[in-house]
Amino acid sequence: MTSANSRWPMVMLVVGHAVDDLYQGAVPALVPFLVAERSYGYLAAAGITLAATLLSSVVQPLFGVLTDRRALPWLVPAGMTVAGAGIGLSGLGNSYALTWLAIALSGLGVAAYHPESARLARRVAGRGHVGMSWFSLGGNVGFALGPILVTPVLHLGGLGATPLLAIPALAAGVLTVAVLRKLQAPGAAASHAAAAGRDDWRQFARLTIVVVSRSMVTFGLSTFLAIWVAQRVGGGPTAGEAALVVLFGAGAASTLLGGVLAERWGRIRTLRVAYLVAIPAVAGVALVPGPAVYGLVALTAVATYVPFSLHVTLGQDYLPHRHGTASGVTLGLAVSVGGLAAPAVGGLANAAGLQWGLLSLTVLPVLAAVAARGLTEPHHEDRPQETVKA
């Protein structure tokens, strides 16, 4: 597939990834409204984040295994549609159980979407780091758009307006079906026919430790950041939602920066530097007073999102014959397991205060930095040549 022929499918994969991950970004933006209208405590609020990640954690690698065996392109539009439907149902009724189940349904849709879309994106983008960073950028832009979409809709209509949030998923699902008909991607087995080298499970396991640690930081921080910043600087929910926009917005831009830095420094060096920077940045969010906290939020976003697309391509290169499985873990299981950190942070916050809860997250970039020291570039990979840019 030439660059000219693959540009349009890549653009649509980027847009689709943005729409799908918008519904992950919507969850932390929903939390303050649930707290305000339904008087949820820290632990109950953290449980909502857990709902978004629990099914995704368990199911996403299974979808990855399936897509390694045969192409399932219909999972791409179906997954994003289910993700939107779950968020759309989340504000209806006053039952915590029904709200939890609706958010869990959204997480299931996210699980179905990612492995197949990442496999298709790598095929279209080729071996270059920047090409896949565009695809990852789409997802992180979606995270950033989550609060931007949720906040005005729920400010105007309250939780009863959540069905309106499903509209982007329905529209993008229809467009994606049309694009997939033209793309006619071959099966996963065919796409790996020319893969070189053996699957390196030891390096992949070490990478998984890095991704899980990074995920716990971002999930734990995003769940409570709006509440923390609103307390820290005043200004009510608007100040807190602004902090989420900074986190996800700076993170989205840093995803593309990660691909550029990897072309110059290499993926492993970029990962190591990023996680060393993340250690003081995360601590600063919990400790620095006043509006300066926004600067630390931005630095944390840079340090934790620069490695994002590099995790995906490293995972696929460590498992060159199992791109779906690698994507299911690096974009799915390992990322979603990060949601398990939110209840732990919530429990500590209830016991000792939210500042201590957030400060406890500092240990995670330390763990990621230590694990990253043992990573090496896949032996079978030559320096990639960029073939596609969205």
Side-chain angles (χ1 to χ4, degrees), residues 95-116:
S95 166
Y96 182 83
L98 291 178
T99 300
W100 196 95
L101 289 172
I103 298 294
L105 178 65
S106 181
L108 180 63
V110 171
Y113 172 86
H114 275 114
E116 180 71 356

Side-chain angles (χ1 to χ4, degrees), residues 22-359:
L22 179 153
Y23 295 105
Q24 287 186 298
V27 174
L30 276 169
V31 167
F33 291 94
L34 292 169
V35 169
E37 292 193 28
R38 299 181 181 174
S39 301
Y40 290 167
Y42 288 137
L43 200 55
I48 295 299
T49 297
L50 179 63
T53 61
L54 186 62
L55 280 178
S56 184
S57 298
V58 175
V59 176
Q60 195 156 166
L62 299 180
F63 282 116
V65 171
L66 289 175
T67 59
D68 282 333
R69 294 179 177 178
R70 60 176 300 178
L72 298 172
W74 60 268
L75 285 176
V76 178
M80 72 171 70
T81 301
V82 171
I87 295 297
L89 294 171
S90 65
L92 304 182
N94 293 317
S95 166
Y96 182 83
L98 291 178
T99 300
W100 196 95
L101 289 172
I103 298 294
L105 178 65
S106 181
L108 180 63
V110 171
Y113 172 86
H114 275 114
E116 180 71 356
S117 65
R119 186 187 66 81
L120 291 172
R122 187 66 187 270
R123 176 178 177 267
V124 173
R127 305 290 297 177
H129 304 316
V130 176
M132 275 299 287
S133 72
W134 278 105
F135 174 72
S136 299
L137 173 65
N140 289 320
V141 167
F143 264 99
L145 290 176
I148 295 174
L149 175 66
V150 168
T151 301
V153 170
L154 298 193
H155 267 309
L156 292 174
L159 291 174
T162 55
L164 296 175
L165 301 176
I167 293 174
L170 298 175
V174 172
L175 290 175
T176 302
V177 169
V179 171
L180 289 177
R181 288 177 178 173
K182 295 182 178 180
L183 186 59
Q184 296 180 340
S191 69
H192 293 312
R198 292 182 293 181
D199 295 329
D200 189 342
W201 289 100
R202 171 177 281 185
Q203 285 288 294
F204 185 75
R206 184 178 289 273
L207 175 67
T208 300
I209 294 173
V210 174
V211 180
V212 167
S213 300
R214 180 259 178 200
S215 175
M216 287 184 169
V217 172
T218 56
F219 267 103
L221 188 62
S222 64
T223 298
F224 298 104
L225 184 64
I227 299 171
W228 172 244
V229 171
Q231 295 175 0
R232 199 72 165 165
V233 304
T238 301
E241 298 294 337
L244 286 177
V245 172
V246 170
L247 179 68
F248 295 144
S254 298
T255 302
L256 186 57
L257 176 63
V260 174
L261 292 177
E263 294 286 354
R264 296 182 180 181
W265 295 353
R267 289 177 291 184
I268 303 303
R269 182 182 178 190
T270 301
L271 257 65
R272 291 171 179 169
V273 172
Y275 286 117
L276 288 174
V277 172
I279 297 170
V282 173
V285 171
L287 296 174
V288 172
V293 70
Y294 289 106
L296 273 300
V297 170
L299 183 61
T300 297
V302 173
T304 56
Y305 280 83
V306 157
F308 188 79
S309 68
L310 310 184
H311 294 157
V312 180
T313 59
L314 275 171
Q316 291 176 334
D317 291 338
Y318 287 142
L319 304 182
H321 303 283
R322 293 176 172 84
H323 278 190
T325 300
S327 301
V329 173
T330 56
L331 281 174
L333 176 63
V335 172
S336 299
V337 164
L340 298 176
V345 174
L348 183 57
N350 279 337
L354 187 52
Q355 184 176 48
W356 280 105
L358 294 177
L359 193 59

